[in-house]
Amino acid sequence: AKAKTDLSQGVAGNDVLIDETVKTEVTAKQFTQELDQEATQLQGSITLTVSGISYNRDDAVQLFSGALAAKLPQGYSLVPNRTEVTLSKVQVKKDATVTATATVSADTAPTLVIADIQKALAGKNISQAQEYLRGLPGIGSAEFSFRWSLTQTRMPINPNNISVTVAVEQ
């Protein structure tokens, strides 16, 4: 167990050790007493070789992201850094090939053109702006905050004075 823990800690960066592939092999044994000798104490040393297979999480995500992106509905894209790959049913065959079931989960967001949204919101009152934003695909809610504005019931007329931030809910 300690050797497995040490091996896991030795895996660097975004690499993930596949627990089912960890093997422990005794490579050397040395004892102070010979075989079949009677002794009250036995001392010796054993050398173990611990090995396992790992994969790079980023490479796995990149591998599956292309396939996922192709299955997304029109107008949606994958959210960067929000894709996870997990392995299950890992089997190590005698010829050292590894098979596993990969489960991929990802968050998606609508593909929005911020400049178009700014132009569409320019000059609208808050209720019109909310109605417009709710009509866009994938928009769940909208919040408005105003700086340096005398009236907080209408969007600025100049689209460049409108800032749009898109957040993906957890």
Side-chain angles (χ1 to χ4, degrees):
K2 182 177 178 345
K4 184 177 178 181
T5 302
D6 289 349
L7 183 62
S8 293
Q9 291 173 349
V11 176
N14 286 328
D15 288 351
V16 178
L17 180 67
I18 304 172
D19 289 339
E20 293 84 354
T21 65
V22 175
K23 291 190 291 185
T24 306
E25 183 181 335
V26 176
T27 53
K29 297 187 246 183
Q30 185 177 10
F31 297 100
T32 57
Q33 302 295 327
E34 294 294 322
L35 191 61
D36 293 333
Q37 279 188 338
E38 193 173 316
T40 57
Q41 254 186 351
L42 179 64
Q43 292 182 357
S45 64
I46 296 176
T47 303
L48 296 174
T49 301
V50 181
S51 62
I53 298 173
S54 66
Y55 67 94
N56 185 285
R57 184 181 318 237
D58 292 340
D59 290 345
V61 166
Q62 188 174 6
L63 176 70
F64 291 108
S65 290
L68 280 176
K71 294 185 183 258
L72 290 178
Q74 182 85 19
Y76 284 83
S77 61
L78 294 174
V79 176
N81 302 319
R82 298 282 293 261
T83 303
E84 279 295 318
V85 177
T86 55
L87 297 182
S88 61
K89 300 179 185 175
V90 178
Q91 295 178 341
V92 181
K93 297 184 179 174
K94 290 181 182 181
D95 64 353
T97 58
V98 178
T99 59
T101 300
T103 304
V104 182
S105 62
D107 287 338
T108 61
T111 306
L112 302 171
V113 180
I114 301 300
D116 291 347
I117 294 172
Q118 290 169 315
K119 288 177 189 172
L121 292 177
K124 288 191 173 13
N125 65 37
I126 297 299
S127 62
Q128 290 171 327
Q130 284 181 331
E131 187 177 323
Y132 167 76
L133 291 171
R134 283 193 197 112
L136 295 175
I139 302 296
S141 65
E143 294 178 17
F144 301 91
S145 64
F146 295 87
R147 292 185 295 175
W148 308 307
S149 176
L150 298 175
T151 176
Q152 296 186 355
T153 59
R154 185 167 292 285
M155 301 297 289
I157 295 172
N158 184 349
N160 294 328
N161 292 336
I162 300 173
S163 173
V164 177
T165 304
V166 178
V168 178
E169 292 183 3
Q170 298 289 343

